[in-house]
Each structure stands twice: as structure tokens, then as C-alpha cells.
Amino acid sequence: EPGRGRILMPELLLNDENLVQVDEEKKISRIRFNTPEGPKYLAYGEPGWQDYPDRKTQTPFWVSNDSGTLLPVDIQASTNKQFWITVKVPEEAKPGQYQGKINLISDGSTLKELNLILSVLPFKLSAPYYQTSVWVHEGANSIEKRYRNMVKNQIEHGITVLMSHLNLRDVDEFTLWEKTLKIRQEIRVPTEILLLAEHPLIYRELAGASHKGLTRIDITEEKKKRFIEGYQKYRELANSYGYKEIWFYMADERDGKELEAWLPVYELVRQIGAKSMTANHIGRTFEIAGGKHDVFVCENGVTKKEADRWHAAGEKIWATWTPSGGVEDFEVNRRNHGLLVWKAGYDGVTEYLYGKENGWVEAASTTTGAAGDGIYNMVYLTTDGIIDTIQWEGFREAVDDVRYITTLEKLVAQAKKSGKKQKEVTAAEKYLKSIDAKYGNLDEIRNNVIEHILKLR
């Protein structure tokens, strides 16, 4: 950090604190990797590191799994340690106040007894009005057990549109999607949208092998025929699992002539009844593609003005890079992926990146910038699972904030339709309009929204 040198940032939410050894003097973390010789603590740039990661990518693929339950911890005298507690309320829990205790025990003796009071509210939260997603690096899905755990984790954090599929070697794309949708069905993934991100149907059949550097895409009748036949096959598969829409993500971060080249593809996608989605910067994107594709993923700003002009062109707008994954700040992630997006009128939010193996290179680095995209991790990948972070919990809370807002807005609409509780409706609408999404206290905002919900029930 400029002016401060290297500093240590809390990030991982671990059950086993011994997965990471923190060197307070050198300001580095050593990670416990599963090496051929057994578990070893390694830091990028220290002797021994070169022996274990893949020599071409410098990516360690055998990070030890975290414990499934909280293990004992060591806390040195005159130091502190953070504990994060997530309480999951069963669906069948009755409304009311519940009490419990958290005991801090050392050598069999209770050092401190903390009271835990939980209020279960007398209403169920609506699904968020917007769509939520997170970019996933395909290589992260190379183990089926890990993919299942990733999907469960994303659903638990409010994701409604999954971006990736199971990725195994020597298995054709369609078969992988069949297996993917079966896994998703077992985990009860929402089936509103099937997103095919940078899919071979687009790049193999229409746009060539690369999506960058293209200045012209010629869609011959033969290419069009193959694409439509392939799409119909995926459409039938999607329908069989209850999906309502198919979206294609394509033309990633293209501008000028490169973006213009994609216009015939957007048109064809619309002709077959699917939707197209592109991430780009505010700038010439609207002038080139406004009204010609379906979802603009905005990479450099969350403003109502930007949302209004895309909506006027009949398109949806999502937010991303608000900030990118990897920023170890719970509140910034909660605010910028939730209320800030709602207040600007955006239709969705996604973030780059869920997790890559080389995120561990950055976490264990003795220098900065060692891992490239690894610094964007929302979670960290282990042998067959994931480890949450404070920024990922912030994203989950962001979605929950929007669920509370959505619940209140629906109650307002119902009351206005029925003509009842007009005083409460006026008060709720006035409050919603007054919310300071940029600087307001997020906990206070949520509590106030709850009060209005209770009055309108």
C-alpha cells in the first residue's frame, strides 16, 4: 500500500486457522499445500515454491481443504482474532425471538459467555427484483465434487443466474451441459435464465475461434443453418429442465469496429428467440449497439442516467466492477452490489471474479501483482471446495438488502391496488425515495425497511 508498505488484510473465513500461517514480521502468508511429500507451507517467491506449482502457469492445484467445522484456535496474549457468525434460519421456523449462547472455552473452562438473540420476522422475503451473477473461470470446474460445492455456495449467496458449466476433459460440450443441468436441478438452481457464456455455438459456428480483433463477421447461409440447428438442440435441453430463456454472452469488452462486427450476430440471436449480453464501458457502446442487443453489462459506472438511456432503447442494464472481486471490504461490496444498484434502477449485478486457482499465488505472494487475475477472487478454491471471504459475504448481504427492498415495493404496489393503508403507503414511498444508497447506514436502512414492511402487512 502506498506510503504504508506491505500490510496484512483479513479476508478468508476459515474453520481451520492452520490452513494459513501468517508471518507478522515479513507481512506474508504461507499456505498449506498438498504436495507429493505431504502438507507443506509455501509462499510464492520463497525457496521450495518452484518445486510444486505447475511450472508453466505457476498455479498450485492442490490447496488443502478447509475443515467442515470450526476447529480450536490460538490467540496470543494482547492480540485479537475476528469471528464471523452466519445464522441460517430454517424455512419452517415460527416467527418470534430466539435466544442462545456462544461460549468461549479454553482448556475446559468457560472464559466468556455471549448471549445471542435472534428475531425471526413474520414474513418471507421476496426474491430480489434484479438478476444476480458472478463470473466463473471454467478451469475451476474441473472436479465434479468441487463444481457441486461451488453451485451450492453461489445459491447460498443469492446468485440467480449461474455463468458456468461443469468442465471436464474429453467430454463434448453438449454432454457437459446435460450433466450440468442435472446437477443444478438437484441443487434447485433458479431456472429463469440459462446463460451460455462465450459458447461454441457462437464462436465456432459464427464468429471464429477468437472474439478479439474481429472487424467483420460474415454469416453465410451454411453457418446460419448450423447455428440454428445447434441452438434448437440446446433449446430442447433447456426446456426439459424448465428454463424459460436462453441468453448468450459474447463480444466481451469490444468497441468501435470490433463491436460493430457483432451486430449481425445480435440480430440473428434475436431472430431465433434468444437474448444477447455484452460487457463493455460507457462510451460509444450505446451509439453502436443501443437497442440492438438485450443486456448491457456496464463496467465503469452505476448511474441512473446510464440506466435510463438503455431502458429507453428497450434493453436491460447490469452493473459489474463495482468494485471487482478481491477488494477485502465487506461494506463496500454490500453497498455497491446492492442498494447502489437498486437506486440507479439497474436490472442486474455480476462481478469478476468468483475464483481461480492462481488466487492462492497472490495470497501467498512475497510481492504484489504476482497472480494477475488471482487478485479478483471472491472465494478461494481448494481441492474439492471453496473458502468464503469477507467480500463474498458482503455480496450476499447486498442481495439480501435488495430482497428487503423488493418485499416492501411489492407490498406498496399491492396496497395501492387494493386502496388500503394509504397512509402507510405514502410513508413507505417517501422513505424509499429518501434512501441514501451511497452514504447511508446500511443496517439502519434495513431496519427502517423492515418497519415499513410490518406496517403494510
Side-chain angles (χ1 to χ4, degrees):
E1 183 170 311
R4 297 179 63 187
R6 291 180 60 84
I7 60 172
L8 293 168
M9 296 286 290
E11 180 181 23
L12 302 179
L13 300 179
L14 296 170
N15 284 324
D16 178 7
E17 68 167 353
N18 292 316
L19 183 72
V20 179
Q21 283 185 346
V22 179
D23 189 324
E24 297 281 355
E25 184 177 345
K26 292 185 177 181
K27 304 294 184 186
I28 62 173
S29 297
R30 295 183 180 88
I31 312 298
R32 187 178 66 209
F33 293 105
N34 291 329
T35 74
E37 295 81 22
K40 284 189 178 182
Y41 287 93
L42 300 170
Y44 181 87
E46 289 193 322
W49 176 273
Q50 296 290 339
D51 295 338
Y52 300 108
D54 180 277
R55 292 185 180 277
K56 183 178 180 181
T57 64
Q58 290 299 295
T59 301
F61 288 97
W62 36 76
V63 178
S64 301
N65 290 319
D66 190 18
S67 169
T69 57
L70 184 65
L71 300 180
V73 301
D74 292 324
I75 305 177
Q76 296 181 6
S78 302
T79 67
N80 59 53
K81 192 177 294 288
Q82 293 185 17
F83 289 84
W84 287 61
I85 299 171
T86 301
V87 180
K88 298 182 180 179
V89 180
E91 287 291 326
E92 65 276 10
K94 294 182 178 180
Q97 194 172 85
Y98 294 80
Q99 297 187 34
K101 295 185 182 297
I102 299 172
N103 294 318
L104 303 181
I105 300 172
S106 178
D107 295 328
S109 300
T110 299
L111 302 178
K112 184 72 175 179
E113 188 176 80
L114 305 175
N115 292 320
L116 178 65
I117 301 174
L118 174 70
S119 294
V120 176
L121 299 169
F123 60 85
K124 289 189 179 297
L125 285 177
S126 300
Y129 82 91
Y130 67 175
Q131 298 293 349
T132 57
S133 191
V134 62
W135 302 97
V136 177
H137 187 253
E138 292 294 352
N141 309 330
S142 57
I143 303 169
E144 183 174 335
K145 184 176 181 181
R146 181 161 66 183
Y147 180 70
R148 286 178 177 273
N149 287 330
M150 289 167 61
V151 171
K152 290 176 183 176
N153 177 260
Q154 289 179 47
I155 297 303
E156 289 172 353
H157 285 76
I159 299 302
T160 59
V161 180
L162 274 69
M163 275 220 182
S164 69
H165 64 283
L166 184 64
N167 185 19
L168 303 174
R169 292 182 179 179
D170 303 321
V171 181
D172 70 89
E173 185 83 13
F174 188 80
T175 302
L176 282 172
W177 270 106
E178 283 187 299
K179 192 166 186 177
T180 296
L181 296 190
K182 187 174 186 298
I183 291 171
R184 291 186 183 181
Q185 185 181 62
E186 293 169 5
I187 300 174
R188 298 184 179 181
V189 172
T191 56
E192 186 72 25
I193 297 164
L194 177 61
L195 179 57
L196 304 180
E198 299 185 354
H199 196 272
L201 273 178
I202 295 289
Y203 292 106
R204 182 182 61 228
E205 304 299 352
L206 299 179
S210 174
H211 68 293
K212 294 186 178 181
L214 292 173
T215 57
R216 183 181 177 87
I217 297 176
D218 292 315
I219 302 178
T220 64
E221 286 301 315
E222 184 180 352
K223 284 183 178 181
K224 182 177 180 180
K225 181 174 181 294
R226 286 200 307 266
F227 173 72
I228 293 175
E229 289 174 351
Y231 170 76
Q232 289 173 342
K233 188 177 179 182
Y234 275 90
R235 176 75 265 179
E236 291 174 5
L237 177 65
N239 286 342
S240 70
Y241 282 92
Y243 284 88
K244 298 175 183 177
E245 295 181 350
I246 290 183
W247 291 13
F248 287 100
Y249 176 79
M250 52 189 168
D252 180 57
E253 297 182 335
R254 301 299 89 207
D255 202 359
K257 291 293 183 183
E258 291 181 344
L259 183 57
E260 288 177 3
W262 285 91
L263 297 181
V265 183
Y266 295 150
E267 183 179 354
L268 177 57
V269 167
R270 280 188 168 180
Q271 286 176 7
I272 63 173
K275 295 184 183 296
S276 54
M277 178 182 191
T278 297
N280 220 325
H281 292 76
I282 296 172
R284 289 191 62 213
T285 304
F286 184 81
E287 285 69 24
I288 296 172
K292 297 177 182 177
H293 58 10
D294 300 285
V295 185
F296 170 56
V297 183
C298 184
E299 292 189 339
N300 61 333
V302 180
T303 67
K304 189 175 185 303
K305 179 181 178 181
E306 193 66 22
D308 287 346
R309 70 170 182 167
W310 286 95
H311 288 158
E315 295 204 27
K316 294 183 182 297
I317 181 171
W318 285 24
T320 192
W321 292 94
T322 60
S324 62
V327 176
E328 303 93 342
D329 191 314
F330 171 85
E331 182 167 326
V332 165
N333 279 277
R334 177 181 175 183
R335 184 183 302 278
N336 291 15
H337 294 110
L339 293 186
L340 203 67
V341 174
W342 160 75
K343 195 72 171 181
Y346 280 47
D347 306 287
V349 65
T350 184
E351 203 46 80
Y352 184 89
L353 179 71
Y354 183 62
K356 293 175 90 171
E357 282 93 343
N358 68 357
W360 288 109
V361 180
E362 189 70 36
S365 177
T366 55
T367 60
T368 57
D373 282 351
I375 62 175
Y376 300 128
N377 280 24
M378 279 291 200
V379 304
Y380 284 76
L381 304 172
T382 64
T383 304
D384 57 20
I386 53 87
I387 294 173
D388 284 333
T389 65
I390 61 174
Q391 59 263 28
W392 189 225
E393 293 306 297
F395 190 101
R396 177 179 60 80
E397 283 294 300
V399 178
D400 281 349
D401 284 338
V402 174
R403 292 181 68 194
Y404 279 98
I405 291 285
T406 305
T407 303
L408 178 55
E409 289 181 328
K410 286 185 175 181
L411 286 172
V412 167
Q414 290 169 8
K416 291 176 77 171
K417 186 176 181 180
S418 68
K420 299 177 180 179
K421 295 193 175 185
Q422 291 308 296
K423 182 179 177 181
E424 289 81 0
V425 166
T426 300
E429 288 184 317
K430 183 179 179 180
Y431 179 71
L432 287 168
K433 188 175 180 180
S434 73
I435 289 175
D436 184 353
K438 194 170 184 179
Y439 299 111
N441 183 295
L442 298 176
D443 291 331
E444 287 183 4
I445 292 172
R446 181 182 289 189
N447 287 334
N448 290 336
V449 169
I450 289 171
E451 288 300 317
H452 284 287
I453 290 173
L454 293 174
K455 291 175 182 178
L456 277 166
R457 285 180 66 250

